[in-house]
Amino acid sequence: MATVEELGKISSQVRRDIVRMVTAAGSGHPGGSVGIADVMTALYFSVMKHDPATWKRDSRGQDAFILSAGHLAPVFYAVLARSGYFPASELGTLRKFGSRLQGHPCVTDGLPGVIKPSGSLGQGLSVAAGLALAKKMDGEGNFVYCLCGDGESEEGQIWEAGMWAVHHKVDNLIAFTDWNGQQIDGPTTTITAIEDLSEKWSSFGWDVIVADGHNFASILDAFKLARNADGKPKMILFRTEMGHGIDFMAGTHEWHGKAPSAEQCACALAQLEETLGDY
């Protein structure tokens, strides 16, 4: 289990990986990936019970992670590589022809760590809820974690899954939302005005925790609180900033789905410490 100091160093490297991957590919989604990097780093290096050496797609006997917001693939790939699922050198193949690292995660080529493909938004929470119930039925004491987006939460399937999970009392389901207030077309308040997600999830019968997605103590405390078997699924709403840690990306939807230029990449890397060695 990594310390808070170690998590900060790993997260810095993960951000470097994201920027370099998307720049080399010439397309991708850097803003949200960079913004949720602290949470994903904490999840894979301090929270989840998982073993890359014995991992199988059915996740039997281990905690599982489902990426619902599939466009956040760059951060998913970076934490998988840095935690030992595949060589970090493979990160340089993002979106290349024949690569296992597609723009959204897929399972066709058997990329270790990926349980389900993440294409259309809104589907992942349904899969996570079903997997969590399966683990309970099998007598496993493991959790299923699922990352959703706040823009993604405009999808009706998210709320169908929310009702189903409450009905079936899947209290080993820990979903978390990248609550950055941004989506591809602009601030969420100007698109569908999803408003207070805390009130919405509470009204659906979920236990809700609100935390700072850029403070490791807050992140770890939130995940600890969520591992409470009280008969209810959990939703952690992480307050984050899109593009956090890179001054020209921070706080704007403009970097939701745009690759940096070579010059912008260099500017971003100058702001991020290289801690594990670039691939």
Side-chain angles (χ1 to χ4, degrees):
M1 180 180 294
T3 66
V4 168
E5 181 180 359
E6 289 169 338
L7 290 174
K9 291 183 177 296
I10 297 168
S11 183
S12 180
Q13 186 66 57
V14 165
R15 284 187 168 93
R16 289 181 65 91
D17 291 342
I18 293 165
V19 173
R20 296 182 70 239
M21 291 161 64
V22 176
T23 301
S27 64
H29 298 80
S33 292
V34 167
I36 200 66
D38 295 328
V39 175
M40 287 292 288
T41 298
L43 179 68
Y44 269 82
F45 287 86
S46 282
V47 176
M48 275 190 14
K49 294 180 179 179
H50 65 113
D51 180 3
T54 60
W55 180 90
K56 294 182 179 179
R57 193 179 165 198
D58 64 11
S59 76
R60 190 178 299 275
Q62 299 191 27
D63 289 347
F65 172 73
I66 300 293
L67 178 64
S68 191
H71 56 283
L72 299 178
V75 69
F76 186 24
Y77 296 150
V79 295
L80 284 177
R82 293 300 177 175
S83 56
Y85 282 86
F86 55 86
S89 58
E90 194 169 348
L91 294 175
T93 71
L94 175 71
R95 290 179 171 245
K96 302 291 176 62
F97 183 76
S99 172
R100 298 193 295 178
L101 278 60
Q102 296 298 303
H104 285 222
C106 68
V107 296
T108 306
D109 295 317
L111 185 67
V114 179
I115 292 175
K116 72 169 291 295
S118 303
S120 298
L121 293 178
Q123 297 178 352
L125 189 59
S126 294
V127 175
L131 180 56
L133 181 58
K135 286 183 176 293
K136 287 178 71 73
M137 293 174 69
D138 286 346
E140 286 191 35
N142 297 101
F143 292 91
V144 177
Y145 297 87
C146 180
L147 171 56
C148 303
D150 51 1
E152 179 192 18
S153 298
E154 297 165 5
E155 295 278 357
Q157 188 169 347
I158 290 287
W159 303 102
E160 293 176 40
M163 290 187 288
W164 189 92
V166 168
H167 177 76
H168 290 280
K169 298 181 173 59
V170 284
D171 55 5
N172 60 333
L173 171 60
I174 302 176
F176 56 103
T177 298
D178 182 18
W179 201 7
N180 60 28
Q182 307 288 336
Q183 59 191 101
I184 193 167
D185 291 324
T188 54
T189 53
T190 68
I191 308 301
T192 306
I194 198 163
E195 304 297 345
D196 191 341
L197 283 173
S198 179
E199 292 183 0
K200 280 186 167 63
W201 282 107
S202 293
S203 72
F204 269 66
W206 286 54
D207 283 338
V208 178
I209 301 163
V210 180
D212 181 347
H214 301 306
N215 180 297
F216 285 112
S218 180
I219 294 168
L220 294 175
D221 283 347
F223 279 124
K224 182 178 180 180
L225 285 171
R227 293 191 294 274
N228 175 26
D230 63 354
K232 295 182 180 181
K234 313 300 187 295
M235 173 57 74
I236 307 174
L237 299 172
F238 284 113
R239 286 289 194 183
T240 60
E241 177 184 51
M242 183 171 280
H244 185 79
I246 301 172
D247 57 8
F248 62 87
M249 284 189 184
T252 173
H253 72 280
E254 294 180 1
W255 290 95
H256 179 284
K258 181 174 70 172
S261 66
E263 292 75 17
Q264 289 168 326
C265 178
C267 178
L269 294 178
Q271 300 173 50
L272 301 167
E273 182 183 4
E274 181 184 349
T275 58
L276 301 178
D278 288 335
Y279 60 83

